[in-house]
Amino acid sequence: DVKVTQSSRYLVKRTGEKVFLECVQDMDHENMFWYRQDPGLGLRLIYFSYDVKMKEKGDIPEGYSVSREKKERFSLILESASTNQTSMYLCATSRGYYEQYFGPGTRLTVT
Amino acid sequence: GENVEQHPSTLSVQEGDSAVIKCTYSDSASNYFPWYKQELGKGPQLIIDIRSNVGEKKDQRIAVTLNKTAKHFSLHITETQPEDSAVYFCAASRVQAGTALIFGKGTTLSVSS
C-alpha cells in the first residue's frame, strides 16, 4: 500500500512565524503535490513537483514556498504565517498522471 | 485556465436511494476525470475515474458518465448505504507534463438510515 505521511495532524503557530509542513512517501512516486482545503472552496493546489529540486506553482502559491531535496520528501514552507493561512493542508503523490494518493492532512491554526 | 463546477454542494438521501453528483469543466482539452471520496478525518481517496475515450464506467454500485460535447460528467451511486456518507470531489485534467488536477468544490453526501 502507498503510504503518505504528514509530520503533524494538528499545528498551532503564531502570526509571523516560519512554518514547515513535511510530507514523506514510501512508494518512489515522482510527483508530489500540496493542497489546501477550506470549507466551500474545495481543494486548491499550492505547489507541485515532478522531480527532485523541481517545482511548479499551482493556483494559490502566494505566501508559500516548497522544497524537494529528496524524491520521497516534499516540504511546504510558510515564510511568515498569517491568519488567512489557517487551513487544512493535504499532501498527495502520484506515479504518472493519474491516481493521486493523499496523506491524512495537517490542520494548521495561525493565531 | 481550467475551471470545474460541482453541484450540489450538499445532498441528503435515504438509505437505498440513488445519489447523483454533477460536474462541468471548461477546458475542452481535458481528458481525465477522477472522483475522490473523503471520509471524516482522512485524505481524499480515488473511487473511480474515466478517460475521454469512453462515455461510461461502472464499478459495483458506483458509475461515472461523461459527455464530452457538453463538457460535463456525473457520479451515480445506487443503493446508497450509511457508509457512503462523505465528501465527494470531482476533478479534471489534461494528461500531459506540467499539468495538475483541478478539483471541484465538493459535495457533502449524507445517507440516513
Side-chain angles (χ1 to χ4, degrees):
Chain A
D1 280 350
V2 176
K3 191 164 185 183
V4 182
T5 57
Q6 296 185 228
S7 49
S8 306
R9 291 301 301 268
Y10 300 94
L11 207 54
V12 179
K13 295 291 181 181
R14 293 194 179 275
T15 302
E17 279 194 82
K18 190 169 186 176
V19 181
F20 292 87
L21 302 182
E22 300 282 330
C23 177
V24 179
Q25 51 109 350
D26 67 354
M27 285 301 292
D28 200 37
H29 286 178
E30 59 268 25
N31 306 319
M32 298 189 75
F33 308 84
W34 275 108
Y35 296 89
R36 65 177 281 177
Q37 181 175 14
D38 300 289
L41 296 179
L43 299 170
R44 293 182 291 166
L45 182 64
I46 305 172
Y47 269 97
F48 60 104
S49 169
Y50 284 97
D51 202 350
V52 175
K53 296 189 186 295
M54 179 272 179
K55 61 185 178 184
E56 292 275 353
K57 292 181 180 180
D59 298 319
I60 52 165
E62 297 79 17
Y64 303 94
S65 62
V66 290
S67 173
R68 194 168 180 198
E69 295 296 319
K70 293 184 178 181
K71 190 175 185 179
E72 68 271 17
R73 188 180 297 269
F74 193 34
S75 302
L76 180 69
I77 304 156
L78 287 66
E79 295 289 343
S80 178
S82 63
T83 54
N84 62 12
Q85 292 177 310
T86 291
S87 186
M88 170 69 82
Y89 289 88
L90 289 162
C91 173
T93 75
S94 74
R95 186 191 309 281
Y97 302 116
Y98 298 108
E99 181 172 5
Q100 291 189 15
Y101 297 84
F102 284 83
T106 294
R107 185 165 294 282
L108 172 67
T109 302
V110 182
T111 61
Chain B
E2 171 75 283
N3 183 49
V4 176
E5 299 280 342
Q6 182 172 346
H7 298 280
S9 56
T10 60
L11 180 59
S12 295
V13 299
Q14 291 286 322
E15 184 177 0
D17 288 350
S18 294
V20 180
I21 304 170
K22 298 182 179 182
C23 290
T24 60
Y25 60 97
S26 60
D27 183 359
S28 56
S30 291
N31 52 12
Y32 175 61
F33 308 92
W35 286 88
Y36 284 80
K37 176 183 180 182
Q38 185 179 27
E39 298 176 339
L40 203 60
K42 297 183 179 180
Q45 185 173 12
L46 180 73
I47 54 170
I48 194 168
D49 58 10
I50 192 168
R51 304 180 193 187
S52 60
N53 57 344
V54 297
E56 185 173 357
K57 185 176 178 181
K58 191 172 182 180
D59 182 4
Q60 299 182 343
R61 295 187 297 109
I62 60 173
V64 57
T65 59
L66 171 65
N67 183 328
K68 286 214 73 178
T69 304
K71 292 192 284 187
H72 67 70
F73 56 112
S74 300
L75 178 71
H76 304 254
I77 306 174
T78 58
E79 301 173 23
T80 54
Q81 301 167 3
E83 52 265 38
D84 294 329
S85 296
V87 180
Y88 291 81
F89 293 98
C90 64
S93 77
R94 302 184 186 191
V95 176
Q96 63 184 55
T99 63
L101 288 174
I102 303 299
F103 284 87
K105 289 182 169 53
T107 297
T108 301
L109 173 64
S110 300
V111 181
S112 53
S113 54

